Amino acid sequence: MSVDQVSSAWVPLAAALLLAVAAAAAALDGALAARSLGHHPASGLLTPVAETARLFRQRRRSTLAADVPLWRIGGAGLLTAALLMVVVVPLGRWTVADLAVGVVWFNAMDVLLWAAVWLAGWGPNSAHALVGGFRFLAQALAYELPLMFALTTPAVAAQSLRLGDLVAAQEGLWFVVWMPVAFVVFCGAVLAFSVWGPFAAATGSTTAGGVLAETSGVDRWLVTAGRYALLTAGAAFGATAFLGGGQGPLLPAWLWTLLKTAALLAVLVALRRRLPVLRPERLVAPAWLVVLPLTLLQLLVVSVVVVVRG
């Protein structure tokens, strides 16, 4: 299946679609939160709307000697990175930017989050927020290397870094079938760079610190929306790189991409309340001593298969 690049006029539509799917993810999270409290799940569907209205009315909090420009840049950085991630992800047969290095582009946008989250912690000039920023850096040290090699695995199988080629290479067999380790590692990294679920310690509201400790109003909305958008961008990339993208019978390719993205996104959102929050300083050792070797072994197996196939 070939992928065509659309004109730049479609960029606003791509951004709107990303925000719409992210809003649906927030609604699902609200429903799951309501159910966990013993309420009917439907009562939580409008939680994102109510929270948005509350935060837009709330005054921005100010702190003594805050570095306001860097605080604002960090807060908006998550949503910006998510928007830049999805420009290379094909929606069926269309993509906004058909880059020859699409996989590298996605990884580079993920690395931008290191700076964005840390700046969100540095800007308020608050000890609790700054600790949250350093917590994210400790977490990033654990997930980044495994993520890089997990992203390399489908690229090696397709012998290309272009996402359209990854989709075409999965005709007949999705990569997730023979790359389960890389897929699981990728999904874990999506949770980590979205500061979500077991990797949400950097945004924690405990006395140990969190980047949201001093953030309120529109700034808090931007960070929260950015986390949902990052989950959505990660799910879209995972559906493309491991689940066949637009490949599928009967339905149009764009609809298959949306359905696969929605299914993976729902799983990622649901994990928030299924797994405990992990301490970032305890992640590096298992990540480098267990997860990284397993990911490299997965990459080696895929490389051997590609060489044998010729």
Side-chain angles (χ1 to χ4, degrees):
M1 184 178 68
S2 62
V3 173
D4 300 321
Q5 180 171 319
V6 298
S7 72
S8 57
W10 288 85
V11 171
L13 182 60
L17 181 60
L18 172 69
L19 293 177
V21 179
L28 173 62
D29 188 47
L32 294 175
R35 191 179 69 171
S36 67
L37 295 174
H39 305 306
H40 195 281
S43 64
L45 289 176
L46 293 180
T47 299
V49 178
E51 185 67 4
T52 296
R54 184 184 72 83
L55 290 176
F56 273 62
R57 291 197 311 270
Q58 190 179 55
R59 178 178 296 178
R60 280 171 161 166
R61 184 179 300 170
S62 59
T63 56
L64 185 64
D67 195 331
V68 176
L70 293 184
W71 193 1
R72 301 284 186 265
I73 292 173
L78 280 72
L79 187 55
T80 304
L83 291 170
L84 291 173
M85 283 177 176
V86 296
V87 298
V88 297
V89 178
L91 177 62
R93 298 181 182 277
W94 310 302
T95 182
V96 174
D98 188 22
L99 299 183
V101 291
V103 175
V104 178
W105 173 269
F106 181 88
N107 196 191
M109 295 307 102
D110 147 58
V111 175
L112 281 181
L113 294 170
W114 288 46
V117 179
W118 188 81
L119 287 178
W122 166 268
N125 191 32
S126 161
H128 287 174
L130 185 58
V131 168
F134 280 114
R135 279 176 151 186
F136 182 78
L137 292 185
Q139 182 168 288
L141 286 173
Y143 78 75
E144 195 61 47
L145 267 181
L147 171 61
M148 289 173 61
F149 288 108
L151 291 173
T152 304
T153 308
V156 168
Q159 302 183 49
S160 173
L161 293 168
R162 179 180 280 110
L163 292 186
D165 293 338
L166 266 63
V167 175
Q170 297 178 74
E171 188 170 1
L173 183 65
W174 296 356
F175 282 163
V176 68
V177 176
W178 56 300
M179 304 175 192
V181 175
F183 178 67
V184 171
V185 170
F186 171 80
C187 290
V190 171
L191 293 174
F193 69 57
S194 303
V195 205
W196 189 262
F199 305 106
T203 58
S205 58
T206 65
T207 55
V211 294
L212 293 176
E214 305 292 348
T215 304
S216 62
V218 174
D219 298 326
R220 193 179 188 92
W221 182 88
L222 280 172
V223 174
T224 304
R227 293 169 69 196
Y228 284 111
L230 286 169
L231 278 176
T232 305
F237 187 93
T240 300
F242 293 98
L243 302 179
Q247 305 273 8
L250 302 178
L251 300 176
W254 64 267
L255 187 53
W256 271 117
T257 303
L258 278 182
L259 290 174
K260 293 173 184 177
T261 298
L264 182 55
L265 180 59
V267 173
L268 296 176
V269 170
L271 286 175
R272 181 181 192 180
R273 291 174 179 79
R274 296 290 181 181
L275 299 173
V277 177
L278 304 174
R279 295 176 58 176
E281 67 272 21
R282 294 185 176 179
L283 291 176
V284 173
W288 286 22
L289 297 177
V290 179
V291 178
L292 182 57
L294 287 175
T295 310
L296 289 173
L297 180 61
Q298 171 78 92
L299 178 58
L300 176 62
V301 170
V302 171
S303 301
V304 170
V305 171
V306 171
V307 171
V308 171
R309 283 180 174 178

